[in-house]
Structures are given as C-alpha cells and as structure tokens.
Amino acid sequence: MKKEAVSAVNTGKKKKIVEGVQYKLLSLLCFVLIIGFWCVASYGHLVQEVFLPSPTAVISKLFAMAADGSLWAHCKASIARVMIGWIWSVIVALPMGMLMANSKRFSAFVQPIIEFARYLPVVALVPLTLLYLGIEESQKYTIIFLGTFFQLVLMVVDTVSNVDVNMINAAKTLGAKRFQIYKEVIFPAALPGLIDDFRLTIGWAWTYLVVAEMVAASNGLGFMILRSQRYLATDTIFAGLIMIGLIGLVTDWIFRIINRIAAPWQERLGDSK
Amino acid sequence: MASDNKNEIRLQVRSLGKVFGEGDLAVTALKDVNLEIRESEFVMIVGPSGCGKTTLINIIGGLETQTSGEVLLDGRPISGAGADRGMVFQGYSLFPWLTVQKNVEFGLKMKNIPSSERAAAARRYISLVGLDGFENALPKMLSGGMKQRVAIARTLANEPEILLMDEPFGALDAQTRVVMQELLAKIRTETNTTILFITHDIDEAVLLGDRVYVMSRRPGSVRDVLDVNLPGVRSHNSLVLPEFLEIKKKIMDMLWQESNDAAMGR
C-alpha cells in the first residue's frame, strides 16, 4: 500500500474512533440526565421518600445486600431460571422453526396451534402449571418456556424463510442434498438473524421471570421486588430493577459480541467498501 | 459420460411446455420448446425479456418442473437439480460466510471429496478465472465482476456435464462485461466445457455462441437457430467483424419483428 493510502486509512480509523467515543458519551449522558432528575426529585424533597428512595439509599441497599450475599443469591436464582427456561425454548424452537420454514406440511400441522397458544396470556397459565408441576423449579422454567417459545418459533420461521433463495438454488445445483442445504447454507445464512431473535427473546424471558417468581418462589430478583412491595421497601425495589437492567445490558452486549464472532462476514451499514 | 465424439448430443429438450397457474389465471410461459446441445458446444439462447428464458434454464437445471415435454441429459430424463448441471445465476449467489477458496470448494465438499484434494482443485479453478491471491477474501470484499468469477470457478470445480448460465453478466457494467465475456471464451477453449448460456444481449449471444437459438415472445418457443462462424479467437475485436454484424443484424430483425408483433397486438 502507498503511504498516502495508509495515512488515509489511519485518519479514517481515527475518525471512526472519535465518532465511537462520541456515541458512548451520548449514551452515558442519557443515564446521567435520568440520575440527575432522580437526584433533584429526591434530594430536593419533591417526591416523598417512600415513593422515590434517594440514590444513596438505593446504593447503600445494594452494597448491604451484596455484602450479606443475598443480592448474589437472588441474581443467581433468577439468572438460572431465565437461562434454563430460555435454553429449552431455543432447543425446541430452532429445529421446529427450521422445519416449518421448509416443509409446508409440517407447517400446516403445527402453525395454527402455535398461533393459538401465542395469544394465551402466560399469567393465565400459572394456575395450571402450579397444578401440574407444583412449586418446583420446573414450574418456573415452564412459565419462561411458555412465554418465549411460541414467539421464538415464529421468529425462527421468519428468519429462515428470508434466506436468499438464490443461495439455496446455487447449493442445489452444486449437488447439495436436503440435509446438507440445511447445515451448510440455511443455518449459516440465517445465523445472524437467529442470534438477534435469541437476543430479543431472552429479554422477554426476564419479563416472564417476574411472573414465574410471583407465586411460590422463595428467592430471585422478581421475588425480591414483589416481597418489598409488601413492606413498602422502595429502595429494595429500585435495587432489584437496577440489577435486572444491568443484567439486561450485559446480556445484550454479550449477544452483540457473539454475533460479531459468529458472523464476521456480514455487510453492516457504515462498513467502508 | 463425456465422449470424444464432437457431434454427440449431450442435452436435449423435447416439446417442453410450462404453464403457470390454473384455469382463467393460467399463463403459458413456454410452448413446445425443442433444442439440443452437442458435446463441447457453446449454445446461446437469446430472446426478448419475459419470453421465459429463465424459466427454461431453471427447468433444465432442475429448479422448476415442466408442465409437458422432457429434458434429457445423455439420453436420460433429468430429475431435480444435480451437480451434473452446474448453474451460474445473474444474482450473486456466493455464500457470504465462506472465503473465495471455500466457496469454490463447496460442491466438492458436498461430494465428500477429501479436503487436500478439493483445496488443490479449488486453487486450480481460482487461478483459471484469474483470482490468484484472493483465496482468503470474503465475497463482501469483491466487486461484481470478481464475484461472478468466483461463481464460475465454483461451478466449474464441480466438473459438471453441462454449464448453465442465466444472464451471468447482466448486472455488470459494459466494460466489465466484455472482460468477462473474453474470459469465458478463453475458459471454454481451455476446458472444452459444454455450455448453455441465456441472454437478452445480442452482442453477447453472437460473440460467445457456436449456435444461437432465438426465442419468440410469450408464450416462448424457438423461433430460429443460427450457426455462428467467426474467424479467429473470440474477443472484443470480433464485435466489428462483417460476419459478426451480419448475424447480429439477422437476430435484431427477428427480435424487432417479435416486439413489433407484440406492439401491434398480433
């Protein structure tokens, strides 16, 4: 490469880094603003302490719970439930969705029941799950599974159906058999979209976690929040919400990294040619 | 199997018809199409857009099924798509997650050929299409012409009985197209591959073909067949030969007649 070309690439890179820092600062600013309002409202005594705890109260609560270990116990319990329920839903939804997208018969067989089930509010299924499964952990997994599976399977169908038919045709004329087309073309082509689907559904799994921990749970972040309501312990509620939010941020970030590792070949907006 | 007999018919299309839809909504795309391609022949099909060229090549490739008639490869009816009929499409159909090398190896991998053997074969065909040094590039780093070079190498590496090309250079700019046409002419001389090539570009048809089938407008059928005998090696210089222009004129007249008939509602 010529010297000018190298320096051009370098300035391009530098510009990108500067832009990246700008965006990070903007993201941070949003948080700072919200915390700022919170400080004003709480330290300015605009809102009663019982409705809105002060940032210091929440932080000291977080530290206290971290110190006595209860915070980690709750986090651990909740993360385990979300992960197990969600992983089951991925394990079942992925092959099922891939089959549905490629077999009209199979799709005709299962699609109506999935669309029927998708509209059932998971909360309304809680009594049945308690009746069938009792208050075991499996009941919690089931709630999270039910909450995410029916959505995920339809998302998988959609993502897989969007794989470019040109690529599938090319594979066919290159001698690929049915199973090879799934493994060597459809799956890798759909992978980035699938990872995105997984990322979205794991977010919903956290919503259903609270439903799952609403009844017959003795630990977990959802349980912690619901119990605090009874004692008007708003500082604990805020601590729980902040933890869930932080776990969500970290999860999203992990998925983004996975996507970048699993599909570095994608053409992204803003990529220079 | 391939034969030394130059006159042996490899691919035969017999009274092929294709109707889309049913009842009142039925559209006849192809009607009584007959054509044949001999060993090592470069056959072009040229026709107005909408004449069913792509449907025809898709049926030959096994990606669509005909309503009537049959397609025979070496005397046997084809069934479904297969590696014996390699295809190059107009759209870039490369696998974007695979490098150039892995894209070209794809068909050989499907046949479970050992990896060292297929790597060597892929390198040979990458070199044939002039992409030495790009083995490890991803498709997103390549220009349109380079992508089609990879697609051609990928199909040839599979050593198909016949190479089917569906307007492969249609999306390229005029200069790149000529370069690619010369490349294909060169590859053809080097590999002796039997080729069926579809285009709406008359220049392309006359420049590359040994024989040109001219199709009528919808419902598409064969209107005429012309032999192309040009002196010398086919290159951009052929485009101004009197022989070239004579055949071009004939085809232009035929296609003009077709569009005129269409415009007059005949």
Side-chain angles (χ1 to χ4, degrees), chain A:
Chain A
M1 232 188 275
K2 278 184 184 164
K3 241 187 188 164
E4 308 92 77
V6 172
S7 72
V9 167
N10 279 341
T11 42
K13 262 190 194 156
K14 246 181 223 161
K15 202 178 156 201
K16 232 175 204 176
I17 291 168
V18 170
E19 273 179 1
V21 170
Q22 267 180 11
Y23 296 140
K24 291 245 161 61
L25 283 176
L26 276 174
S27 311
L28 207 62
L29 180 68
C30 185
F31 277 102
V32 169
L33 276 176
I34 290 171
I35 293 169
F37 280 122
W38 182 11
C39 287
V40 171
S42 130
Y43 297 127
H45 299 291
L46 301 175
V47 183
Q48 278 184 36
E49 177 83 27
V50 72
F51 293 121
L52 186 70
S54 68
T56 34
V58 172
I59 289 166
S60 60
K61 188 79 204 177
L62 273 171
F63 273 108
M65 283 195 299
D68 70 17
S70 62
L71 184 66
W72 309 128
H74 287 310
C75 282
K76 223 173 95 184
S78 290
I79 291 173
R81 283 170 190 149
V82 164
M83 288 306 291
I84 293 172
W86 173 81
I87 285 172
W88 271 111
S89 128
V90 169
I91 289 175
V92 184
L94 184 60
M96 198 159 166
M98 283 182 80
L99 256 178
M100 279 173 74
N102 291 284
S103 158
K104 281 195 180 135
R105 272 190 207 147
F106 185 68
S107 181
F109 181 63
V110 293
Q111 180 122 10
I113 186 71
I114 287 176
E115 290 188 340
F116 173 82
R118 194 162 69 96
Y119 282 95
L120 298 179
V122 176
V123 188
L125 297 172
V126 170
L128 280 181
T129 59
L130 283 171
L131 191 64
Y132 296 157
L133 301 164
I135 56 169
E136 301 296 314
E137 281 300 292
S138 58
Q139 184 261 343
K140 276 85 187 160
Y141 306 150
T142 306
I143 289 293
I144 290 167
F145 176 86
L146 291 172
T148 51
F149 169 73
F150 299 104
Q151 316 282 341
L152 181 58
V153 75
L154 294 180
M155 288 164 86
V156 170
V157 172
D158 209 43
T159 306
V160 172
S161 309
N162 279 331
V163 171
D164 190 352
V165 70
N166 259 328
M167 270 193 265
I168 297 173
N169 281 343
K172 280 184 187 166
T173 59
L174 288 166
K177 301 280 170 291
R178 203 179 160 86
F179 178 72
Q180 288 176 318
I181 291 174
Y182 273 108
K183 181 171 162 268
E184 305 286 346
V185 181
I186 295 177
F187 183 71
L191 191 60
L194 290 173
I195 292 174
D196 249 5
D197 295 343
F198 297 158
R199 185 175 64 86
L200 287 174
T201 36
I202 206 170
W204 299 336
W206 279 94
T207 316
Y208 294 110
L209 173 79
V210 182
V211 176
E213 290 180 347
M214 216 159 51
V215 271
S218 54
N219 55 7
L221 289 168
F223 162 79
M224 185 182 108
I225 290 170
L226 290 163
R227 189 189 49 182
S228 308
Q229 181 199 6
R230 224 179 299 159
Y231 304 115
L232 283 177
T234 38
D235 51 351
T236 316
I237 295 181
F238 269 72
L241 292 176
I242 288 172
M243 279 318 290
I244 294 181
L246 285 177
I247 293 170
L249 271 182
V250 172
T251 313
D252 252 31
W253 177 68
I254 290 172
F255 269 99
R256 226 163 279 161
I257 291 173
I258 291 176
N259 210 342
R260 216 157 277 179
I261 294 170
W265 48 270
Q266 281 182 93
E267 293 187 56
R268 289 190 181 78
L269 276 173
D271 264 7
S272 53
K273 251 251 150 184

Side-chain angles (χ1 to χ4, degrees), chain B residues 100-260:
Chain B
V100 168
Q101 173 82 20
K102 296 287 173 197
N103 260 289
V104 177
E105 283 182 26
F106 188 89
L108 301 173
K109 193 179 170 196
M110 298 299 106
K111 287 184 189 160
N112 294 317
I113 285 169
S115 67
S116 59
E117 209 175 303
R118 63 177 196 244
R123 273 195 299 275
R124 219 167 40 240
Y125 284 98
I126 290 170
S127 173
L128 180 71
V129 297
L131 283 181
D132 294 289
F134 286 94
E135 286 85 355
N136 296 318
L138 283 170
K140 70 169 175 180
M141 299 148 93
L142 305 178
S143 68
M146 288 161 93
K147 281 180 189 167
Q148 282 312 58
R149 283 171 195 247
V150 180
I152 292 169
R154 184 177 66 176
T155 311
L156 287 175
N158 236 6
E159 295 183 350
E161 302 292 322
I162 181 166
L163 177 59
L164 306 172
M165 307 187 89
D166 182 11
E167 300 211 26
F169 311 142
L172 305 177
D173 62 79
Q175 287 75 29
T176 312
R177 199 177 307 150
V178 176
V179 173
M180 293 297 289
Q181 286 162 348
E182 287 187 354
L183 175 76
L184 187 61
K186 190 196 92 180
I187 288 173
R188 187 273 175 115
T189 341
E190 281 174 27
T191 61
N192 263 326
T193 312
T194 311
I195 303 175
L196 176 64
F197 189 117
I198 275 186
T199 184
H200 64 263
D201 179 346
I202 303 174
D203 280 351
E204 188 166 72
V206 183
L207 177 64
L208 292 174
D210 296 328
R211 219 141 47 85
V212 180
Y213 280 91
V214 183
M215 282 184 77
S216 65
R217 70 199 156 92
R218 178 170 290 167
S221 61
V222 175
R223 185 198 154 105
D224 228 319
V225 195
L226 296 107
D227 287 313
V228 183
N229 290 306
L230 301 180
V233 179
R234 306 282 178 100
S235 76
H236 63 277
N237 294 317
S238 315
L239 291 165
V240 290
L241 293 172
E243 293 90 341
F244 178 95
L245 295 171
E246 191 187 325
I247 299 168
K248 180 179 174 178
K249 172 92 173 71
K250 271 189 200 162
I251 297 175
M252 277 174 80
D253 285 343
M254 289 176 198
L255 293 181
W256 178 85
Q257 190 79 49
E258 288 297 323
S259 0
N260 193 47

